[in-house]
Amino acid sequence: MDPLLQHEIDSFQPEVAFRACCTHHHHTWAKTFHSRPELYLRPRSTAEIQKIVSLARRCRRRITLVGSGHSPSDLTCTSSWLVNLDDYSAILSVDRARGLVVMQGGIRLRALRQQLAAHGLALPNLGSIDSQAMAGALATATHGSSLQHGLLSGSVRALRLVLANGRAIECSAAQNADLFRAALVSLGALGVVVEVVFQAVPAYDVEWRQTLCPLAQVLETWDRGLWTQAEFVRVWWLPYLERAVVWQAAKTEKARRPPRASWYGGRFGFHAYHLLLYLGRWVPWLLPRVEWLVFGMQYGFRTAATTSSSSAEADSAVEEGQAGLLMDCLYSQFVNEWALPLDKGPEAITRLAAWIHGDQHTARIPISPRGVYVHSPIEVRVSDTHHHQPRSYLDPTHPHGPTLYLNATLYRPYGADPPGRACYYAAFEHLMKELGGRPHWAKNMTTVTRADIQAMYGARLHDWLRVRQQVDPDGMFVGAWHRRYLLPADDGASLLPLEEKEASRAPYVGGGGGTVVVGEQAGGGGRRTALRRRSTSEDSFDLMQAAEAEKSTFFLLQADHQLDHDEDGELGEHGGEELIFEEVVP
C-alpha cells in the first residue's frame, strides 16, 4: 500500500476499524466485467462506513458500492475504493403489527426473506432472484411481475444515507423529500444507504401454474385477462417455436406441494443445455433446434397443456411465496431489458418476432437480421407504478399506466460471448426507443446515449442531478458509467475533483472471459491520484478537509422527530407513523 495512504489510515480515528484488502479482484456475477480496486472494504458498523467516507475525502479517492455484482454492466467497476456491505446486514427492528422493518443496507434479499418469515412477514413482491443486497436492488429499480405491484422501492418508507461529507442523514416522503426521491433509485451516486425502513406484508404461500400455448394466444388475450388472471403473471416467449409459457401465481392457503423436477435444473439437463449453447456459438443456425429440444424437454412438446404433467395434481405447485417467485438464471449472460407502456406490448413482440424471422418489412427495423440467431426465452413481465407517490426521479416505468418489461437475454456459455450480440441489441434497442421505452439501469444497454436518457427523463433527470450535486459536489460517488449516461459530456472542465474516469479497457485473460476496466481519478494523473503531502500541519489539513466537506448541503434536521439509537445501535421506540433518523457527525 502507498505509504502516505497507510499513514493517513493509521492516524485518522485509530479507534475505529478500517477493514481493507489490497488484492481483491472484482467481477460481475456473470464475469462480463472485471476491475482491480485499490482497496476492497467490508465495514461492520456505521462508524466504520463514516470513517471510510471521511478517509476517501481526505485521500482524494472515489467510492464505489457493490453487493452481489449481479448487474452484468460495468456500473460497479473501479480502480479506487470498492465498498461491500455484506458484513453490515442486520435487521435492526421489526414492528410486526404495522409490518415495518428496519434493516441495514447490506442485507441480501434471501437472508431478509428468511428472517422476515420467522416473524410471519414477507416482501410484497420479488424479482427473479434474491441474491442482491437491499441497497443495490433499490439503487437499480428492481421489480417483479405483477400489475398489483410496482418497484421494490415502492415499499420503502425511509432511508438513512452516509453522504460524501461523512454525515448520516435520513430522508422520507415527509423529510428531505427531494433526497428521498433521488435515493430510491440512486445508482450508487448519492452516498451509502446504511438503513432502510421497509413495509412488509403478512407471510403467504402461492399456488402457481404454467401453460405452454401459441404466441398468437398470448397476443389475443393481452388486453383480455392475460395479466389480471392472477396476482403474479409472467411470460417466457420462445421466438423460434412461436410459443410462450404463461406462468401465473396466486396466494393460497392450500397445503404445500413441490414442483416436479426441472429438466435443465438437473445435472444432465443443465450441462447438456450449456454445451448446446456453446455449440450454437460456432454453428448459430442450430439455435432454433436447440430451443425446440431444450424447451420441449423442460415444458413439454404439446401446446395448450400445462407443462408440468398430464396429472391434474402435478399441473401446479404450492410453495412458500417468495420461493415460488424465484427462477434459476442458469449461466453467465448479457441482459438487455426495457420498460415500455403495456399497451405497446403486442406491437413490440410482433415486430421483434418478425425481425428474428428475417421479415424486415413487418419489423420496420433498419438493421439487417441476416445471420443473427438469438437465445431463448425472451422474458415478458409487468408492473404498475403510476399511482405510487412519491415517484423516484429515475423510475423507468410508465408514469401514466401499467408497464411492460421485455428482457432479451444472451447467454455466455463457458464465458464465451455470443455472436451477433451487437446487431441483436442494436435492433432491439431501436424498437424499444421507437415505442417509448426506457432501459433497465442495471442491464447491458449498448446503443443508449446521454442524449437518449435526457430525452427519456427530461426534468426528472435534471432534478436527480441537482440533488446529486448538492449531496456530493466533488463526485466521490461518480464514475465513468454515470458520466457516460447521466452527467454532462466530458469537456475537460466538467469533471468533478473526486470523479473516476475510464482510462482503458481490455479483454480479461482468464476463466469466464469478459472485459477489464481500468479507471483513474479525474483530479490527477495516473491510475490513482497521489495523496497530497502536507506542507504545514495536521490541523491545517483537517480544517481544509472539514471545510470541503461542508459543501454538501443536504442537512435539514427536524429535532422534534428524531429516532433515538441506544448504545448498541438498535432503534428505539417511536410513537408516530413518521420514521426519522438522527444525523450522526463523525
Side-chain angles (χ1 to χ4, degrees):
M1 185 184 295
D2 183 336
L4 284 174
L5 179 60
Q6 186 67 62
H7 170 76
E8 202 65 47
I9 293 170
D10 292 342
S11 60
F12 182 75
Q13 296 182 353
E15 72 281 3
V16 178
F18 187 79
R19 307 174 197 276
C21 168
C22 302
T23 59
H24 182 72
H25 169 205
H26 168 65
H27 61 76
T28 61
W29 169 83
K31 296 186 177 180
T32 45
F33 291 95
H34 304 250
S35 65
R36 293 279 187 180
E38 179 183 28
L39 292 182
Y40 177 67
L41 301 118
R42 292 184 57 156
R44 299 179 184 175
S45 68
T46 303
E48 291 182 26
I49 293 171
Q50 290 176 300
K51 177 174 179 175
I52 290 169
V53 171
S54 297
L55 272 171
R57 186 177 67 250
R58 296 166 67 92
C59 300
R60 322 306 296 159
R61 273 12 182 216
R62 179 212 173 190
I63 289 177
T64 303
L65 301 160
V66 68
S68 65
H70 214 278
S71 167
S73 78
D74 60 337
L75 178 59
T76 57
C77 288
T78 183
S79 294
S80 189
W81 292 7
L82 186 64
V83 177
N84 176 281
L85 299 182
D86 279 349
D87 295 332
Y88 187 81
S89 56
I91 288 183
L92 301 178
S93 69
V94 177
D95 184 333
R96 185 171 180 177
R98 292 191 294 168
L100 288 174
V101 183
V102 183
M103 66 199 73
Q104 293 175 329
I107 192 168
R108 298 292 182 99
L109 297 186
R110 180 180 298 112
L112 173 60
R113 69 180 185 84
Q114 291 170 349
Q115 294 184 54
L116 288 180
H119 295 277
L121 297 172
L123 300 170
N125 194 13
L126 197 63
S128 299
I129 59 172
D130 62 358
S131 61
Q132 313 103 307
M134 172 59 80
L138 297 178
T140 53
T142 293
H143 62 89
S145 189
S146 171
L147 288 185
Q148 297 183 32
H149 301 282
L151 302 179
L152 183 66
S153 59
S155 297
V156 173
R157 298 294 171 258
L159 295 170
R160 187 170 185 236
L161 293 89
V162 172
L163 302 183
N165 64 1
R167 301 193 184 198
I169 189 169
E170 188 269 353
C171 59
S172 67
Q175 182 190 18
N176 291 332
D178 278 0
L179 178 58
F180 186 60
R181 293 183 67 185
L184 285 175
V185 181
S186 70
L187 300 173
L190 302 181
V192 184
V193 174
V194 291
E195 290 177 21
V196 179
V197 181
F198 194 87
Q199 181 68 61
V201 299
Y204 57 89
D205 288 351
V206 295
E207 180 178 22
W208 60 260
R209 180 184 300 271
Q210 51 192 11
T211 304
L212 184 65
C213 60
L215 178 62
Q217 180 178 326
V218 170
L219 299 180
E220 288 168 5
T221 59
W222 193 272
D223 297 320
R224 295 189 288 111
L226 174 66
W227 300 109
T228 57
Q229 59 188 309
E231 181 173 351
F232 306 98
V233 182
R234 59 191 174 201
V235 172
W236 292 296
W237 167 28
L238 309 174
Y240 295 113
L241 293 175
E242 298 184 13
R243 299 176 183 176
V245 176
V246 178
W247 184 95
Q248 56 180 293
K251 292 174 182 173
T252 184
E253 296 183 359
K254 295 181 180 179
R256 291 182 182 177
R257 186 173 64 253
R260 72 179 179 94
S262 163
W263 184 76
Y264 53 53
R267 179 174 297 182
F268 175 78
F270 178 88
H271 291 292
Y273 186 21
H274 205 183
L275 185 61
L276 288 169
L277 287 170
Y278 186 75
L279 181 61
R281 183 179 186 272
W282 302 104
V283 191
W285 56 264
L286 286 177
L287 287 174
R289 293 164 175 80
V290 172
E291 179 184 289
W292 173 83
L293 174 63
V294 169
F295 292 97
M297 295 296 295
Q298 177 70 16
Y299 295 115
F301 293 93
R302 294 189 302 116
T303 57
T306 51
T307 64
S308 318
S309 142
S310 58
S311 163
E313 182 174 318
D315 285 345
S316 64
V318 179
E319 297 184 275
E320 183 270 323
Q322 311 280 266
L325 297 176
L326 298 175
M327 61 173 287
D328 189 346
C329 290
L330 296 176
Y331 320 113
S332 170
Q333 57 195 246
F334 290 109
V335 186
N336 198 339
E337 181 179 83
W338 285 62
L340 62 158
L342 181 61
D343 59 12
K344 298 288 187 181
E347 179 184 354
I349 291 173
T350 299
R351 291 174 62 185
L352 185 59
W355 187 87
I356 290 171
H357 287 279
D359 180 1
Q360 270 190 282
H361 176 74
T362 301
R364 304 194 305 280
I365 298 174
I367 298 167
S368 173
R370 184 180 298 275
V372 178
Y373 292 87
V374 307
H375 292 161
S376 302
I378 297 172
E379 189 175 31
V380 187
R381 295 186 289 172
V382 295
S383 74
D384 194 349
T385 65
H386 77 284
H387 293 306
H388 181 76
Q389 295 295 332
R391 189 175 182 84
S392 171
Y393 290 133
L394 295 185
D395 182 341
T397 60
H398 186 42
H400 305 300
T403 295
L404 163 72
Y405 304 93
L406 279 183
N407 184 345
T409 294
L410 287 173
Y411 291 114
R412 304 177 62 250
Y414 305 108
D417 291 351
R421 174 170 65 99
C423 185
Y424 177 37
Y425 279 179
F428 179 69
E429 292 184 3
H430 175 90
L431 178 60
M432 295 298 101
K433 291 176 189 178
E434 183 180 318
L435 296 179
R438 297 190 183 104
H440 191 301
W441 292 115
K443 310 301 186 185
N444 297 110
M445 43 187 165
T446 58
T447 68
V448 176
T449 66
R450 183 184 301 104
D452 290 330
I453 298 296
Q454 290 171 344
M456 292 168 186
Y457 286 89
R460 290 196 287 136
L461 175 60
H462 174 79
D463 288 337
W464 186 87
L465 290 171
R466 170 180 54 80
V467 175
R468 204 225 64 77
Q469 181 64 22
Q470 287 177 314
V471 298
D472 181 22
D474 283 341
M476 179 185 292
F477 296 97
V478 172
W481 188 97
H482 303 101
R483 178 66 64 181
R484 187 186 313 144
Y485 296 115
L486 301 172
L487 277 65
D490 175 13
D491 58 5
S494 60
L495 292 177
L496 302 169
L498 301 186
E499 178 180 344
E500 184 179 13
K501 61 182 181 179
E502 186 174 308
S504 66
R505 59 175 56 198
Y508 175 69
V509 180
T515 300
V516 178
V517 179
V518 177
E520 64 182 23
Q521 300 283 155
R527 182 167 177 263
R528 306 181 184 103
T529 302
L531 197 65
R532 297 187 221 171
R533 291 186 179 274
R534 296 182 175 135
S535 58
T536 54
S537 69
E538 300 279 341
D539 290 341
S540 64
F541 186 82
D542 291 342
L543 287 171
M544 182 272 289
Q545 297 292 354
E548 188 176 75
E550 290 307 319
K551 288 161 62 180
S552 183
T553 58
F554 234 106
F555 306 111
L556 306 179
L557 296 181
Q558 298 180 8
D560 292 340
H561 300 285
Q562 295 303 311
L563 186 64
D564 295 328
H565 287 63
D566 63 24
E567 292 181 352
D568 295 325
E570 297 293 322
L571 294 173
E573 295 295 326
H574 188 276
E577 289 295 318
E578 184 180 13
L579 292 173
I580 298 183
F581 298 96
E582 64 181 354
E583 181 189 39
V584 179
V585 182

